[in-house]
Structures are given as C-alpha cells and as structure tokens.
C-alpha cells in the first residue's frame, strides 16, 4: 500500500536525502494545522465513534507532530495533543462495589506472632482445644475477585479500596489460567465470587523487562508491579500480551454451594478448573496445621524454598480452616480475626558503587550499569546492577562512590534500592549519562517521546554487534556455536556486517582466526548451516524489529502464515494482528516498507534460509484448552502435539485438575486413571479429531 498523499505531504518526506529548508513561519503553520487536524480526528474517534481515517494514518500524523515539536523549540505545545495523549485516549475503569468487602490481613515479620495468633483465636472462641489451620504462601501480586454466575465468568474486579473495585473484566478474560466456564458436572452455583491473586512469574517478569528495555518502555521494579501494571491496562490487548497467572484462595459472596472448610473450598476450586497452589518440585506448599509449633515450622519450611519458587511470595497466610469458626470469629477493623500473615524480611545488603559503565544496546539505547564491590544477597554474589536510565539515576540520586542498599528484584535482578546519604563521600557529583556514545563517539540524544538516550549513529559498531548477537541467539536463529565473543570477532575482522553474512562465512576465513582449530570451525559452520532451517516466528524475532519480542513475532508468523504474506501486508492488516499493539504494527510496517530490510530478507532466502510451518496457527478451535497425549495413537506423538498447537491448544506434561483434556490412545496406563479421579475429560483420537474438524 502507498501512503495517502495527505500523509506524505504532512510527513515532509525527504526524497534522496534532500530537504528544502523550510522557513519558520511555514513550520508554525504546519504545526498549527496538524494540531487542529489531530484534535478533530481524536474527537471523531473517541467521542463520536465515527473516525474518518485509520489508526495508522492517525499515528503517522501524530508522529509528525511529535517530530516537529522535538525539532523546533519555538513551537507552541501547551495546546498540543502530544501534551495530553492519555487524557484523550484513556477513560477511567468503571467502578463496582464488592458485595462483601475485600479485607486486608494483619501481618508481622515475626513467626512469634503466629504463636500469639493461635492464642488469640482460642481466647476469642473461649476454647483450649486445638484449632485446625489452613496454611499457604502469601502471594506477592494483586488481589482480584472473579464473579461467576451459574458457572460462567461474568465480571472481575480489583480490590480497590476494599469496598469498591475497578472493573477489569476484559483484561482478566485474557489471563490463560482463568476458566471462562467452571467445570461442573451438576448444577453450578448461581453465584460464586472467587478471590485470589494475580501474579507474574519471575521468568515472565524478566522477559517482559528485557522487552521493555529494548523498546525503551518503562521497566517494572518487580513482578508485583509488572502484574499490576499489566492488569490495570485500558487496552486488553496489552494485558493479553503479558503472561499473568491467577491463584484462587478465598470466596466473596456465594449462593447455591457450601464449603465446610478452607481446605474443601480450594479442593472444589481445583475440581472446577480454578487454579490453586499445590506443590513445587515435590514440596507441598500448603498444609493443615494443628498447633502453633506447626504454624512456625510451616513458616520456615516455605522460607527455605521461597527463592526456588517460580513466583514471588512475601510470607505465609494462616487461616482458621473451619468456615463456621471463621464466621464466629468475624472481623476487626478491616481484617478478619480468623486469618493472619507472617512476612519474610526482604533480603538486602550494603555495598559501594565503584563506577558506572555505559552499555550500548542493539537499539542504540545507552544503559547505565552500576559496578559495585561484590556483596552477597540471598546467597548470590552481586556486582552489577542496571540503573535503567537517567530518570532512575536522578530520582535516587545515585553517584559513583556512594554506599547503597541493594536487593534482588523478583529474586533475580540485582537492584539498587537507595543511597545511604550519611555515607556519601564529601566530593561527589550527580551522575549524568554522557551526550556521546562511548563506542562510536556520535551524539547521543533522548528522542522526544522516550526516556532513554540513544546513539544517533545507525551504523554504530555497538548497535550492529548487539543486533548480530541477537540474530544468532538461542531464541532467535539459535546458532548455538556462535557466541557473543565470536560475533565480536567476526565483526572486528570485517567478516560479518549484516545477518546474511553469517551464511557466507567460509572455512578458510574461520581457520585464519586466532585459536580456531579444524574441529571448532567445523562445529561453527555446522551450527550456522543447521540454523538455516528455522521457523517464520524465529526469523521475525531474529530480525530485531522494534516492539516485536519473541511472543509478538510468533503471533505475526501465525497471522500471516508465510513470509510472502507478511512482506506484502498493509498497515490495516498489520494493525489487525491480535495482541500486537499500535506501536508494534507501525514498527512492522516501517520494517517491511524499507527496501533495505526487504533486500536483506531476499539475501537470507537466497543463501538457503527456509521457514517451516511449525509455528503457523491454523485455527483458534483449541484456544485456552490444554492437552496431554498418552498411549499409542495412529500418529506420532510429535505430530499430535503439532496438531494441537496448530489449533491454538497448549501441551501440558502431567495430569492435574488444570488439564482440559487427556487424549488417550491404546494402553494409556495410569494417566487415564488419574484423569478420571480428577474429573479431567478423556478423548479418543477420533473424538479429538472431531474437536478440530
Ligand atoms: S486470604 C483477608 N490467602 O494478602 C482475606 N490472602 O495483606 C483473606 N494474599 O488482600 C485473604 N496471598 O490479596 C489470602 N494465600 C493467600 C494470600 C492472600 C496473598 C493477599 C490478599 C490480601 C492481602 C492482605
């Protein structure tokens, strides 16, 4: 597609690198006209529901406006749409009252308080008989209430102030492990309000931050913030693109069902397909305790596995197991008398900042990294921590020589929490990221709509090297014998300057390199050769298109099905890819309409890179469903898995109540039995084929 002429005119596109110098009055006139045009289109779109131009065209105009405003300081921007993007586009969430208040928990950092809690419960109930407690981790996420009517998901609310929450229904619908329909054999409860916690697993948090950083979007301080930021999005597409999970642990109002105990409640939840915490690598994460000592030992047991869990917890929650006793105990202020939490102290340490290094990433972003005297936090030595960007450094006023408190965000990423000002050396100065790229010495600038300084040189060796490292990396082309160091050497020796050059490398070139013997050269060439057979999703990810991470690339591949379709996509087709935001689709369009990028893809294909169709989605028939295949089937196991994935289904590795279907062939063994006891539906191969017919 060619851009409409009015956009080309307003972009002031520079043909053959030449611009006619515009005089200031022309710039002001263009700016005024653009502001007016955008205001009108925003009003048509947001208020009148009758847009006259596509989102893509709107974004192009907006980009031009931003560009003008960042280039010419004399423009009047106080009334510009760039100053109130959020104000125009964003509407607040609808509010809704909770039928039963969502309470908070009394908590402490001392396991001793668990002993006191047991005493208080007994005193209140005027009993000396042992009380049964249900113990589980205290999830460090955000509380959510999901309302099911007659077994069907109808609404989801955040906790809000406990009495009134925000309606996040559309976003919660995109969370994969939340069933839209409860698995009930008989009559479903008329009303069931399930309460629990929305979390982001540590690995998903790390991946998200990596992606945010590469795309100069704000990084999240920890998985909890990332989960909250992802859930409280006005655009459900963004929520859908983040991996969130839910654990159920309580009820609000309910009708048409009874629960005798907390334990029975979670058992029923699990049978109905609602996720509850179970165990991790053989360690059971919940327990029924009958004494104060057992409460304390649960606290310690969980503490010892805490850092191995895939998600963050910040303590344990102890609840009186019997719901009848819970009722007797009631509540005090905003917390129930029948539950308490004991938290783990955060793991932090002190150290000194020896220097601040500037790294240049593949998008040219200059990232400051604190180099610290090594210190141990939670059993792991920390010596480097990213400081993200200038805003972060200025906000915390981090300086070279400062003594700082460090911790591991998400239990993984080292993070500078704060500066101990009383220990600051007398001679110290605020740290400023330089205006020059430390690698190529070109000017480094902060683009108008970003918070990250970038090297302005598109040919900066650091940018190219990092892009090449990304291209060969495991999740991209997976050239497993070509590590970062080798990419640097290839670049420095002028052997590789762009991705296709990897496929032109010759034996003699490699043998001429220092310390490369016959055998290792063979291995390198073999790993390059093997990488040629790849998938479209990997290829798109490998190309390092801005705003397109691994998951996004897969979605693009699945949407278009072939490289040819992708390369000829129109802006409208790109903006219709499910779960790809506007920035992503604009960036994809910029990529495929750049002749240089097209030429590079041509070169790659001519050199023998091929894409198999493995990651191509045929239908959404199995979307949201999980499968486990067992026994002998008429097709190979791999083929069965492939078929499930092609139709949007997920493969699980064990039978649990989370499993939607067990596909059982001949001699299915114990899995079929287990599925039966858990109420998981089993399918024969033919029944399975019916599902995708
Ligand atoms: S039961 C208070 N169980 O902790 C009503 N809450 O500080 C009973 N939380 O708002 C809640 N993990 O969001 C319960 N396993 C768990 C929990 C848990 C985390 C949260 C919950 C609550 C907050 C109180």
């Amino acid at each position: 597609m060619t851009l409409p002429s009015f956009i080309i005119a307003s972009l002031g596109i520079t043909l053959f690198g030449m611009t006619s110098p515009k005089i200031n009055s022309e710039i002001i006139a263009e700016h005024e006209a653009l502001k007016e045009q955008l205001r009108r289109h925003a009003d048509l779109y947001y208020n009148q529901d009758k847009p006259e131009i596509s989102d893509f065209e709107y974004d192009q105009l907006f980009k031009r406006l931003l560009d003008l405003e960042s280039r010419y300081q004399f423009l009047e921007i106080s009334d510009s749409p760039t100053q109130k993007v959020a104000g125009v586009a964003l509407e607040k969430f609808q509010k809704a009252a909770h039928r039963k208040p969502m309470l908070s928990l009394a908590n402490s950092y001392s396991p001793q308080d668990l002993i006191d809690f047991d005493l208080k419960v007994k005193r209140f109930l005027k009993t000396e008989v042992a009380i049964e407690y249900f113990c589980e981790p205290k999830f460090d996420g955000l509380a959510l209430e999901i309302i099911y009517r007659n077994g069907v998901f109808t609404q989801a609310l955040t906790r809000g102030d406990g009495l009134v929450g925000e309606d996040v229904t559309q976003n919660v619908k995109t969370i994969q492990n939340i069933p839209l329909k409860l698995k009930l054999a008989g009559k479903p409860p008329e009303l069931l309000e399930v309460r629990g916690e929305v979390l982001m697993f540590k690995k998903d948090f790390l991946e998200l931050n990596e992606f945010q950083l590469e795309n100069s979007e704000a990084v999240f301080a920890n998985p909890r913030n990332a989960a909250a930021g992802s859930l409280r999005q006005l655009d459900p597409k963004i929520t859908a693109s983040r991996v969130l999970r839910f654990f159920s642990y309580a009820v609000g109002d309910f009708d048409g069902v009874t629960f005798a105990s907390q334990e029975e409640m979670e058992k029923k939840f699990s049978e109905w397909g609602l996720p509850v915490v179970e165990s991790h690598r053989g360690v059971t994460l919940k327990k029924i305790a009958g004494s104060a000592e057992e409460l304390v030992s649960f606290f310690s047991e969980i503490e010892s596995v805490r850092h191995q869990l895939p998600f963050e917890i910040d303590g344990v929650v102890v609840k009186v197991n019997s719901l009848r006793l819970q009722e007797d105990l009631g509540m005090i202020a905003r917390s129930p008398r029948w539950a308490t939490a004991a938290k783990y102290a955060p793991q932090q340490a002190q150290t000194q900042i020896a220097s601040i290094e500037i790294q240049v990433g593949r998008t040219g972003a200059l990232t400051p990294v604190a180099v610290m005297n090594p210190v141990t936090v939670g059993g792991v030595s920390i010596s480097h921590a990213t400081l993200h960007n200038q805003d972060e450094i200025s906000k915390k006023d981090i300086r070279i020589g400062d003594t700082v408190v460090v911790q591991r965000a998400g239990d993984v990423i080292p993070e500078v929490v704060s500066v101990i000002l009383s220990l600051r050396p007398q001679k110290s100065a605020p740290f400023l990221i330089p205006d020059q790229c430390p690698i190529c010495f070109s000017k480094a600038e902060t683009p108008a709509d970003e918070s990250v300084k970038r090297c302005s040189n598109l040919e900066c060796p650091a940018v190219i090297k990092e892009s090449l490292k990304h291209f060969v990396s495991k999740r991209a082309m997976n050239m497993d014998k070509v590590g970062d160091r080798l990419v640097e050497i290839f670049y420095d020796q002028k052997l590789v300057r762009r991705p296709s050059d990897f496929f032109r490398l010759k034996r003699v070139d490699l043998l001429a390199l220092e310390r490369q013997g016959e055998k290792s050269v063979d291995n390198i060439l073999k790993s390059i050769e093997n990488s040629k057979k790849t998938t479209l999703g990997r290829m798109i990810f490998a190309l390092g298109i801005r705003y397109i991470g691994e998951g996004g690339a897969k979605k693009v591949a699945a949407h278009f099905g072939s490289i040819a379709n992708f390369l000829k996509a129109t802006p409208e087709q790109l903006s219709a890819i499910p779960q790809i935001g506007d920035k992503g689709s604009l960036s994809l369009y910029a990529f495929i309409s750049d002749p240089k990028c097209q030429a590079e893809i041509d070169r790659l294909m001519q050199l023998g890179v091929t894409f198999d169709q493995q990651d191509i989605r045929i239908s959404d028939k199995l979307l949201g469903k999980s499968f486990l295949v067992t026994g002998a089937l008429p097709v190979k196991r791999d083929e069965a898995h492939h078929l499930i994935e092609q139709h949007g289904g997920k493969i699980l590795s064990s039978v649990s109540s989370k499993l939607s279907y067990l596909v059982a062939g001949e001699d299915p063994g114990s899995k079929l039995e287990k599925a039966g006891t858990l109420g998981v539906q089993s399918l024969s191969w033919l029944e399975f084929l019916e599902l995708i017919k």
Side-chain angles (χ1 to χ4, degrees):
M1 172 196 138
T2 47
L3 289 177
S5 57
F6 78 95
I7 289 186
I8 294 192
S10 68
L11 285 172
I13 275 176
T14 55
L15 288 177
F16 310 112
M18 295 193 297
T19 30
S20 53
K22 276 193 171 186
I23 45 175
N24 289 358
S25 63
E26 278 180 29
I27 294 162
I28 292 173
E30 186 194 347
H31 183 243
E32 288 300 328
L34 259 180
K35 285 195 291 189
E36 182 47 39
Q37 227 178 337
L38 278 159
R39 270 187 230 118
R40 184 169 159 269
H41 288 301
D43 180 58
L44 284 168
Y45 183 91
Y46 294 109
N47 304 329
Q48 307 190 38
D49 281 336
K50 34 179 196 211
E52 289 176 3
I53 58 175
S54 71
D55 289 3
F56 177 77
E57 289 161 345
Y58 183 88
D59 291 336
Q60 293 297 325
L61 292 173
F62 203 90
K63 236 164 84 182
R64 172 65 182 158
L65 186 66
L66 277 172
D67 184 43
L68 281 181
E69 291 176 0
S70 68
R71 241 189 287 172
Y72 305 106
Q73 304 302 315
F74 56 80
L75 294 172
E76 175 57 55
I77 59 165
S78 64
D79 61 346
S80 168
T82 56
Q83 303 305 299
K84 50 169 192 173
V85 203
V88 180
L90 306 188
E91 258 177 31
K92 287 258 152 55
F93 287 103
Q94 297 274 334
K95 299 272 193 310
H98 296 291
R99 252 169 233 103
K100 294 260 168 80
M102 281 181 87
L103 305 176
S104 60
L105 285 176
N107 60 49
S108 74
Y109 286 96
S110 159
Q112 171 64 36
D113 289 347
L114 293 173
I115 300 171
D116 295 346
F117 172 68
D118 177 50
L119 287 174
K120 273 192 247 166
V121 166
K122 285 182 181 148
R123 203 178 307 137
F124 191 88
L125 294 173
K126 299 197 176 59
T127 177
E128 285 182 9
V129 183
I131 304 283
E132 207 170 66
Y133 295 105
F134 182 87
C135 315
E136 66 182 345
K138 183 172 190 313
F139 306 104
D140 198 8
L142 70 152
L144 182 74
E145 173 169 85
I146 308 174
I147 304 170
Y148 288 89
R149 288 190 176 278
N150 300 309
V152 178
F153 175 132
T154 53
Q155 198 181 29
L157 305 175
T158 62
R159 192 176 107 128
D161 65 0
L163 300 173
V164 175
E166 287 165 327
D167 186 322
V168 285
T169 308
Q170 296 313 321
N171 294 349
V172 171
K173 278 189 181 167
T174 70
I175 301 179
Q176 291 286 335
N177 79 340
I178 296 181
L180 297 179
K181 207 168 165 219
L182 298 180
K183 278 195 255 165
L184 282 145
K187 190 172 172 291
E190 265 158 49
L191 174 69
L192 177 70
E193 296 183 344
V194 179
R195 290 175 177 181
E197 204 86 351
V198 175
L199 297 173
M200 188 175 283
F201 275 20
K202 293 174 195 171
K203 74 169 177 31
D204 298 319
F205 159 72
L206 292 178
E207 228 166 76
L208 172 62
N209 261 1
E210 205 179 293
F211 178 75
Q212 296 286 101
L213 211 54
E214 275 167 10
N215 296 301
S216 64
E217 297 283 324
V219 290
F220 295 99
N222 51 49
R224 205 204 80 80
N225 283 356
S230 304
L231 188 70
R232 299 185 64 255
Q233 276 289 343
L234 289 174
D235 181 359
K237 265 188 172 179
I238 299 182
T239 313
S241 71
R242 312 262 173 90
V243 189
L244 295 174
R245 310 190 201 228
F246 180 73
F247 283 115
S248 343
Y249 52 60
V251 280
D253 205 0
F254 54 94
D255 190 8
V257 63
T258 55
F259 308 102
S261 66
Q262 190 72 35
E263 189 187 18
E264 193 204 341
M265 179 195 302
E266 290 203 10
K267 195 159 162 281
K268 283 192 170 151
F269 281 174
S270 172
E271 284 165 10
W272 297 340
L274 287 161
V276 292
V277 72
E278 301 282 357
S279 61
H280 179 70
R281 299 211 177 118
V283 182
T284 316
L285 299 176
K286 49 191 186 186
K287 144 171 154 180
I288 300 286
S291 68
E293 292 70 44
E294 280 179 30
L295 297 181
V296 176
S297 67
F298 181 76
F299 178 86
S300 314
E301 280 158 32
I302 298 296
E303 185 167 29
S304 66
V305 296
R306 174 183 177 200
H307 296 293
Q308 281 129 46
L309 298 179
F311 48 85
E312 291 228 301
I313 62 169
D314 57 350
V316 295
V317 177
V318 169
K319 312 170 201 183
V320 170
N321 195 25
S322 151
L323 259 59
R324 192 178 50 74
L325 290 185
Q326 285 188 6
E327 215 163 285
D328 291 347
L329 283 153
M331 57 186 253
I332 178 168
R334 284 276 184 93
S335 325
R337 258 196 218 94
W338 47 264
T340 193
K343 296 224 252 181
Y344 301 120
Q347 296 195 318
Q348 298 185 330
Q350 272 185 27
T351 183
Q352 207 180 10
I353 297 194
S355 65
I356 296 179
E357 283 177 359
I358 304 292
Q359 290 178 353
V360 185
R362 71 182 163 92
T363 59
L366 268 49
T367 306
V369 177
V371 182
M372 302 170 290
N373 300 336
V375 63
T376 305
V377 183
V380 176
S381 174
I382 290 183
S383 60
H384 290 76
T386 173
L387 302 175
H388 303 304
N389 53 39
Q390 186 67 53
D391 288 352
E392 177 81 2
I393 295 182
S394 306
K395 197 172 74 196
K396 295 181 179 165
D397 190 16
I398 298 166
R399 305 180 182 192
I400 296 169
D402 271 347
T403 299
V404 291
V405 176
V406 287
Q407 68 181 22
R408 284 158 68 212
D411 278 343
V412 213
I413 315 178
E415 175 193 17
V416 174
V417 184
S418 59
V419 173
I420 302 174
L421 285 175
S422 59
L423 298 177
R424 173 167 280 171
Q426 283 197 329
K427 273 196 199 147
S428 85
F431 183 84
L432 289 175
I433 298 177
D435 291 326
Q436 226 184 14
C437 169
I439 306 295
C440 70
F441 308 109
S442 306
K443 202 164 165 30
E445 290 164 313
T446 312
D449 51 347
E450 298 184 2
S451 58
V452 173
K453 220 175 232 183
R454 287 178 194 280
C455 171
S456 56
N457 174 12
L458 293 177
E459 308 280 313
C460 173
V463 172
I464 297 180
K465 280 183 186 174
E466 294 307 311
S467 305
L468 293 171
K469 287 178 196 170
H470 171 77
F471 183 78
V472 303
S473 65
K474 194 168 161 58
R475 291 178 357 234
M477 296 299 279
N478 192 22
M479 297 184 190
D480 56 351
K481 290 290 181 291
V482 185
D484 286 359
R485 184 78 200 105
L486 205 51
V487 172
E488 301 243 351
I489 295 173
F490 288 165
Y491 180 89
D492 293 340
Q493 299 294 320
K494 301 194 172 55
L495 290 171
V496 174
R497 288 287 152 118
R498 54 188 174 208
S500 55
D501 292 341
F502 285 109
F503 303 105
R504 296 184 204 271
L505 285 170
K506 304 228 166 34
R507 240 179 105 75
V508 283
D509 298 333
L510 300 190
L511 283 169
L513 299 175
E514 256 177 61
R515 283 196 297 257
Q516 292 295 350
E518 301 256 344
K519 187 142 179 49
S520 77
V521 166
D522 283 345
N523 285 337
I524 293 167
L525 289 171
K526 206 158 105 199
S527 108
I528 295 175
E529 187 59 30
N530 289 344
S531 78
K532 283 185 182 172
K533 209 167 164 285
T534 187
T535 62
L536 184 55
R538 275 180 179 270
M539 182 72 210
I540 294 173
F541 177 57
L543 292 169
I545 304 169
R546 275 191 77 188
Y547 304 113
I548 304 299
E550 193 182 8
K554 276 192 186 162
K555 282 169 194 134
V556 175
H559 190 77
F560 290 107
S562 73
I563 184 89
N565 285 345
F566 167 54
L567 292 178
K568 61 173 195 251
T570 63
E572 289 74 19
Q573 288 170 335
L574 291 164
S575 59
I577 313 170
Q579 299 176 22
I580 298 285
D582 295 344
K583 278 189 179 172
S585 56
L586 279 173
S587 165
L588 285 165
Y589 188 65
F591 180 85
I592 59 173
S593 43
D594 181 347
K596 279 201 238 147
C597 301
Q598 293 249 9
E600 178 64 359
I601 292 186
D602 281 348
R603 278 191 290 271
L604 287 166
M605 298 204 301
Q606 272 160 21
L607 288 162
V609 175
T610 57
F611 319 104
D612 78 12
Q613 306 289 301
Q614 212 177 55
D615 58 349
I616 306 305
R617 171 87 56 81
I618 298 173
S619 87
D620 282 348
K621 287 194 177 129
L622 307 182
L623 206 63
K625 301 278 186 314
S626 58
F627 292 81
L628 178 66
V629 178
T630 189
L633 297 174
V635 299
K636 283 207 189 104
R637 186 67 56 91
D638 275 0
E639 279 175 54
H641 285 176
H642 185 193
L643 209 53
I644 292 167
E645 283 169 346
Q646 276 186 318
H647 289 277
K650 253 186 13 196
I651 314 288
L652 294 190
S653 55
S654 65
V655 181
S656 75
S657 54
K658 296 186 190 77
L659 184 66
S660 321
Y661 298 104
L662 179 77
V663 180
E666 275 174 47
D667 299 328
S670 64
K671 292 203 173 100
L672 185 62
E673 228 168 88
K674 185 158 181 209
T677 52
L678 290 175
V680 172
Q681 195 176 340
S682 319
L683 300 174
S684 68
W685 182 244
L686 286 179
E687 284 168 331
F688 166 73
L689 292 179
E690 278 297 308
L691 280 187
I692 55 171
K693 211 164 93 180

